[in-house]
Amino acid sequence: MREGYKVEHLAVMNRLRGLLAEFGIVIAQTAIALRRKLIDIVERPDLPIQFIELIRAPRDHWKAITVGMHECDTRIETHATGDERCVRLRAITGIGPLTADAAVATVNDGHDFKNGRQMAARLGLVPRQHSSGAHKILGSISRSGDSTLRTLLIQGARSSLLQARRTPLDQATPEQHWILQLAGRMPRQIDGGH
């Protein structure tokens, strides 16, 4: 449900920005900038009343979508706080309520997998194999599996890496030291290019 709201939210934002651009009003690509500009536009006397009326319908729809997204976030937060599996997952750096809830919904308690590699394969986080006989050839990450959960996990990992880089070395946790060492061994495009 939340993913549907997210897609629709972006589509309505783009539609509003497109309408405003036709009248020479260019806005930054953030929800905050658009929200602020829409408040100003309704009060501008130099714009035609038909244009303001045209903007009101998608603006109201956008507000309703935003409320729906916040309600979904509240339900997810409530569930992630009350479910023991989500609470355990949230103890991991980079895992928030949305990722924990998605992981529990996708893999339940994880007993279906013999090891972590099987779960990674289910999510599409392992390299493709092009092997024959004694020759093992590993390709790029397969990206076949649950794209939503994979995306959330990757975003959480990038967030953890960014936080580890921002933390002074003398104040970093052992986990942050490990993250920095791991990032030092990764190619630039994998670790976010820093």
Side-chain angles (χ1 to χ4, degrees):
M1 188 76 178
R2 186 184 186 280
E3 284 301 306
Y5 278 136
K6 196 167 107 177
V7 169
E8 194 174 356
H9 186 264
L10 181 61
V12 175
M13 276 179 56
N14 288 337
R15 194 174 310 127
L16 281 165
R17 272 202 304 276
L19 283 169
L20 294 171
E22 288 182 23
F23 278 79
I25 303 168
V26 180
I27 301 172
Q29 293 188 358
T30 66
I32 294 169
L34 181 59
R35 193 174 302 117
R36 287 179 182 156
K37 188 56 102 172
L38 287 173
I39 292 169
D40 294 339
I41 286 172
V42 174
E43 299 174 7
R44 281 184 51 183
D46 61 321
L47 293 173
I49 191 73
Q50 296 87 356
F51 175 69
I52 293 173
E53 290 298 322
L54 181 68
I55 292 292
R56 280 197 178 125
R59 180 199 63 186
D60 294 343
H61 181 59
W62 186 51
K63 285 180 182 178
I65 293 167
T66 304
V67 168
M69 281 179 62
H70 288 303
E71 288 172 357
C72 282
D73 288 343
T74 302
R75 284 194 299 272
I76 289 168
E77 176 69 42
T78 301
H79 177 261
T81 303
D83 188 304
E84 179 191 337
R85 299 165 299 177
C86 290
V87 171
R88 285 195 321 256
L89 283 169
R90 289 180 70 181
I92 300 169
T93 301
I95 305 287
L98 189 60
T99 306
D101 189 62
V104 167
T106 303
V107 299
N108 196 8
D109 59 4
H111 288 303
D112 296 338
F113 306 103
K114 282 196 270 184
N115 53 42
R117 181 170 172 78
Q118 282 188 347
M119 183 177 159
R122 164 104 181 260
L123 298 176
L125 292 171
V126 295
R128 291 184 191 274
Q129 285 194 15
H130 305 285
S131 305
S132 63
H135 299 286
K136 285 188 177 179
I137 301 170
L138 298 178
S140 61
I141 299 297
S142 67
R143 293 187 218 146
S144 61
D146 188 334
S147 62
T148 302
L149 181 54
R150 184 176 59 249
T151 300
L152 289 170
L153 289 169
I154 290 168
Q155 287 173 346
R158 285 186 175 150
S159 173
S160 299
L161 176 59
L162 182 64
Q163 185 63 37
R165 285 188 171 142
R166 287 182 177 165
T167 305
L169 285 177
D170 60 331
Q171 296 174 8
T173 65
E175 184 178 47
Q176 288 175 327
H177 284 290
W178 175 78
I179 290 169
L180 291 171
Q181 289 172 355
L182 184 63
R185 296 191 311 254
M186 295 290 131
R188 289 180 60 84
Q189 69 270 22
I190 293 175
D191 79 355
H194 293 93

